[in-house]
Amino acid sequence: MPRRSHDLHGAAPDESRTALLLIDVINDLDFPGGDRLLAHALPMAHRVRALKQRCRDAGIPAVYVNDNFGRWQSNFHRQIEHCLEEGVRGREIAALLRPGEDDYFVLKPKHSGFYGTTLEILLESLGAQTLLLTGMAGNICVLFTANDAYMRDYRLFVPSDCTASETEEDNGHALRQMQRFLKADITPSDELDLERLPA
């Protein structure tokens, strides 16, 4: 089969062999356990923000891979607006990690960023072969996305300080699973040498 064009109807995206994925960081955390997740996710968000800036400086694009939370008539911009409203549990995280105009986004209906989404097409258009996975929950949506990425032969980095779950035990277990079975590099973000990643 001939390789599909990278030109998406004249709107070709960036080209980078590495992409940063921010999974479910625009999240109102309005569910049982959301308060427990917030306690771990807020410190994580500061580290993800710093990593995102470093990636931007290195020419690595950011892709927001976000659940639609069953709101089929919504879109990503409305999700951002909702999460930035007063009184929303996840507001501070959404404010810290609010996407920029040149960031990409993909809405997902289930746990994996690849299931029923355009993520694979976008990554192919970028030319990405290496993925930096960040976000929440580490033991659910990050893990499921990493699993599907591994089956598609992506090289995986899951910085251990850039994922969060409801408990440190759950997060640590998920990281060990990704390291052992998905060959993920779980080096903390501040120790990652982005210059050595494929650009």
Side-chain angles (χ1 to χ4, degrees):
M1 173 182 278
R3 184 168 177 80
R4 286 171 290 184
S5 170
H6 284 258
D7 189 344
L8 302 181
H9 303 288
D14 299 320
E15 289 187 10
S16 175
R17 290 194 292 161
T18 300
L20 171 67
L21 271 55
L22 295 90
I23 300 169
D24 287 342
V25 298
I26 306 301
N27 192 325
D28 61 14
L29 300 178
D30 186 19
F31 50 79
D35 53 344
R36 292 191 300 273
L37 181 53
L38 176 62
H40 302 287
L42 187 53
M44 173 212 72
H46 286 277
R47 295 187 290 268
V48 172
R49 181 178 180 175
L51 177 61
K52 183 186 174 193
Q53 184 58 55
R54 289 178 57 213
C55 285
R56 182 182 177 88
D57 294 342
I60 296 172
V63 182
Y64 285 74
V65 183
N66 223 90
D67 206 294
N68 69 0
F69 302 103
R71 298 183 179 96
W72 291 94
Q73 294 175 317
S74 187
N75 59 52
F76 189 48
H77 297 292
R78 286 174 62 183
Q79 180 72 7
I80 295 167
E81 290 172 3
H82 163 67
C83 290
L84 290 172
E85 292 173 356
E86 288 287 344
V88 172
R89 184 181 285 152
R91 182 173 186 248
E92 193 171 353
I93 295 172
L96 278 168
L97 296 176
R98 185 173 187 166
E101 291 184 4
D102 55 351
D103 293 330
Y104 299 95
F105 67 88
V106 171
L107 278 180
K108 62 185 178 69
K110 294 288 184 180
H111 305 89
S112 171
F114 288 91
Y115 181 81
T117 77
T118 58
L119 179 59
E120 190 167 8
I121 297 171
L122 172 59
L123 294 175
E124 181 181 318
S125 297
L126 291 169
Q129 300 167 352
T130 297
L131 302 180
L132 292 164
L133 273 61
T134 67
M136 55 189 178
N139 64 329
I140 306 174
C141 295
V142 176
L143 177 61
F144 279 59
T145 301
N147 186 70
D148 281 358
Y150 177 74
M151 291 192 294
R152 288 164 172 79
D153 296 321
Y154 288 99
R155 182 185 180 199
L156 299 179
F157 287 80
V158 186
S160 58
D161 59 339
C162 287
T163 66
S165 305
E166 288 186 27
T167 70
E168 291 183 5
E169 292 77 13
D170 285 344
N171 205 61
H173 179 70
L175 285 165
R176 290 189 296 274
Q177 293 290 98
M178 288 184 275
Q179 182 183 44
R180 180 177 178 186
F181 298 112
L182 309 181
K183 309 298 186 286
D185 185 319
I186 63 169
T187 300
S189 61
D190 60 356
E191 297 177 22
L192 272 180
D193 185 355
L194 299 183
E195 299 300 323
R196 298 188 65 182
L197 297 182

